[in-house]
Amino acid sequence: MGKKPIIAISHLGCEKNRIDTEHMLGLLVSAGYEVDANEELADYVIVNTCSFIEAARAESVRTLVELAEDNKKIVITGCMAQHFQAELLEELPEAVAVVGTGDYHKIVDVITRAEAGERVKEVSAEPTYLADETVPRYRTTPEPFAYLRVAEGCDYRCSFCIIPHLRGNQRSRPIESIVAEAEQLASQGVQEIILISQITTNYGLDLYGRCVLAELLRAMGKVDVPWIRIHYAYPTGLTPQVIAAIKETPNVLPYLDLPLQHSHPEILRMMNRPWQAGVNDRILENIKTALPEAVVRTSFIVGFPGETEEHFDHLWQFVQRHEFDHVGVFTFSPEEGTPAAHLSNQVAQETMEERRDALMRLQQPISLQKNQAEVGKIVNVLIEQENPQTGEFIGRSPRFAPEVDGLVYVQGQASIGEIVPVLVTGADVYDLYGEVASD
């Protein structure tokens, strides 16, 4: 029997995509394939693509073209493979396979078929697959933290979003399955687990007939992991039961990632999120009352078709009023296959960028003030890396989620993977600075 080919994986896109990558790695390693980070040495390069917005697609295309120019055998997986399967095979003769978002678990079979000379198209029209704790997984995140997918797909139909078309309807994992995987991660030394899905506050609706995020959080409270963080909440899903579970479960961080997208009722209606307009202010006030220590991150889209100066001013005042801890701002991207792509009154790119920059300028002093309020406090910091030149450690406090928020730069003695008390001595708009607190 001949030697198996060497495989590299190029990961693009979000953390949901990352978990798909980690499962493909795990399946390939379990099947005896050598996986190498160096694409130069690889016989096959799997590119796990993103197709969420134009910039992500452009990055995916650049990566594919570069690999094609290097004469690599390319396996295209992920959202772009689901979205543009026929076009990719036509435009890239170097692509030996395209694999859809609901088919990545077939990766070993796909490589076997490609090795036999077949040009493989493995793309289910309606993705239904959902990995559980029994599927091999090779983590690619820094050792101290891991993402844990509680559900896949989405039942909402926001007019700007292609994800339900690419990922299918929501399908939740049983609580027992999630807890079992969390315990596996804990046994590997993971200190922080981040619960993710398309809309995590809708967790369980399809499986149990109701949203059961509160029950999941309380079950996760029994797992021996110091920090549990929730990403992708939806304001209507932050019920009193969920807020109480966050408050009463010691290892669940009071950190809420709420992608609100806009504040003006008319824009939210055109986004097909009309029910959100009536609850944004009320939910945010409820959070401040019930969870005064809560850290709130949100993201907004500016330049949605038809957004006027009046609409933008409403959003500007909304951000000013609520003083979020962290804000991300994106310009509208017309996605082929979504209703918003064909709306009239598209906003000029220059105007969108001006609005994005204005909103970020508004947010920066707010973020600075929030960070400066940490100076003088002793906070727990999860140490993730060390600067070999300076000996300085780098980590995150509960205020900061990985990859999207700031960092804490730490002087003193610490070890990677441990949570240490740090006296915060300085702050800027994004990051904190401190030293390991003495006993």
Side-chain angles (χ1 to χ4, degrees):
M1 188 173 176
K3 186 176 182 292
K4 289 188 174 181
I6 300 170
I7 299 172
I9 295 190
S10 176
H11 163 79
L12 305 168
C14 67
E15 53 267 43
K16 276 93 68 181
N17 221 28
R18 180 183 293 279
I19 289 178
D20 298 348
T21 294
E22 292 178 347
H23 281 308
M24 284 191 285
L25 282 167
L27 289 163
L28 289 163
V29 170
S30 296
Y33 284 91
E34 181 181 345
V35 178
D36 199 297
N38 187 346
E39 294 168 2
E40 292 290 319
L41 301 176
D43 300 298
Y44 289 84
V45 180
I46 299 169
V47 183
N48 198 7
T49 59
C50 180
S51 192
F52 183 48
I53 58 174
E54 174 59 37
R57 280 200 305 279
E59 182 187 12
S60 295
V61 169
R62 273 197 309 274
T63 302
L64 292 169
V65 169
E66 287 168 6
L67 289 167
E69 288 172 349
D70 289 340
N71 295 313
K72 292 296 180 185
K73 296 175 184 173
I74 306 168
V75 176
I76 309 172
T77 68
C79 287
M80 202 167 177
Q82 187 77 29
H83 202 181
F84 301 108
Q85 49 200 272
E87 295 95 320
L88 289 168
L89 285 173
E90 184 179 334
E91 295 291 331
L92 280 170
E94 296 81 4
V96 298
V98 292
V99 181
T101 59
D103 303 277
Y104 62 87
H105 60 297
K106 304 171 187 172
I107 191 64
V108 172
D109 178 61
V110 167
I111 296 293
T112 302
R113 289 158 62 190
E115 276 286 275
E118 181 183 348
R119 202 171 190 215
V120 183
K121 181 181 173 186
E122 191 67 71
V123 183
S124 298
E126 292 290 332
T128 58
Y129 178 69
L130 180 62
D132 62 20
E133 76 282 5
T134 66
V135 180
R137 181 178 173 190
Y138 185 93
R139 287 197 295 114
T140 61
T141 50
E143 189 177 322
F145 77 88
Y147 296 104
L148 203 171
R149 177 160 45 207
V150 303
E152 174 64 288
C154 184
D155 292 337
Y156 288 175
R157 295 295 182 266
C158 299
S159 64
F160 56 84
C161 183
I162 195 69
I163 294 302
H165 176 65
L166 302 181
R167 292 274 175 177
N169 288 329
Q170 179 174 297
R171 45 208 188 271
S172 301
R173 296 171 58 184
I175 289 175
E176 297 77 14
S177 170
I178 296 165
V179 170
E181 186 171 359
E183 287 171 342
Q184 290 173 6
L185 294 169
S187 71
Q188 296 166 16
V190 167
Q191 301 290 294
E192 176 180 10
I193 290 175
I194 301 157
L195 304 180
I196 60 170
S197 69
Q198 267 66 38
I199 299 181
T200 306
T201 37
N202 275 9
Y203 165 71
L205 184 60
D206 56 303
L207 188 62
Y208 299 103
R210 60 190 180 90
C211 302
V212 293
L213 178 59
E215 288 91 330
L216 174 63
L217 293 177
R218 293 186 188 278
M220 291 289 289
K222 299 181 176 68
V223 179
D224 187 20
V225 170
W227 291 359
I228 293 168
R229 192 184 299 270
I230 308 161
H231 273 197
Y232 305 105
Y234 197 84
T236 51
L238 285 176
T239 61
Q241 291 83 2
V242 170
I243 291 175
I246 295 170
K247 191 178 183 70
E248 295 164 12
T249 310
N251 59 347
V252 175
L253 299 176
Y255 177 103
L256 294 169
D257 172 49
L258 278 170
L260 296 175
Q261 312 303 4
H262 214 280
S263 63
H264 196 284
E266 180 64 16
I267 297 297
L268 288 168
R269 184 187 65 77
M270 290 191 292
M271 287 180 167
N272 202 26
R273 298 164 71 103
W275 51 85
Q276 185 185 317
V279 302
N280 275 352
D281 286 302
R282 176 168 54 80
I283 289 293
L284 290 167
E285 291 304 325
N286 286 351
I287 292 168
K288 288 175 187 174
T289 302
L291 276 176
E293 72 278 26
V295 174
V296 181
R297 153 171 279 282
T298 191
S299 56
F300 298 109
I301 296 171
V302 295
F304 191 84
E307 184 189 58
T308 64
E309 286 297 331
E310 179 188 346
H311 295 144
F312 176 70
D313 185 60
H314 188 280
L315 177 59
W316 199 93
Q317 292 184 41
F318 181 79
V319 172
Q320 185 179 48
R321 181 166 70 252
H322 286 292
E323 297 186 331
F324 298 98
D325 294 88
H326 311 291
V327 171
V329 185
F330 302 90
T331 56
F332 171 74
S333 176
E335 298 308 305
E336 182 183 332
T338 65
H342 307 290
L343 290 174
S344 58
N345 300 320
Q346 298 278 332
V347 177
Q349 186 67 34
E350 183 181 5
T351 302
M352 290 198 282
E353 291 172 2
E354 287 171 357
R355 290 175 182 174
R356 177 197 62 201
D357 295 347
L359 214 54
M360 290 308 296
R361 282 196 302 273
L362 169 66
Q363 176 60 32
Q364 284 181 338
I366 298 171
S367 293
L368 177 60
Q369 184 182 18
K370 298 273 188 179
N371 278 351
Q372 286 176 333
E374 298 293 288
V375 174
K377 294 180 182 177
I378 293 177
V379 301
N380 287 328
V381 174
L382 175 57
I383 302 296
E384 293 177 318
Q385 52 185 304
E386 180 182 6
N387 185 322
Q389 275 77 42
T390 65
E392 182 179 50
F393 289 94
I394 304 169
R396 294 176 294 103
S397 75
R399 287 182 52 75
F400 300 142
E403 302 175 357
V404 291
D405 298 330
L407 297 167
V408 185
Y409 294 87
V410 180
Q411 304 287 341
Q413 292 300 309
S415 298
I416 292 173
E418 72 172 338
I419 295 174
V420 298
V422 171
L423 173 65
V424 180
T425 57
D428 60 27
V429 171
Y430 298 110
D431 303 318
L432 299 176
Y433 305 84
E435 55 195 39
V436 176
S438 55
D439 293 334

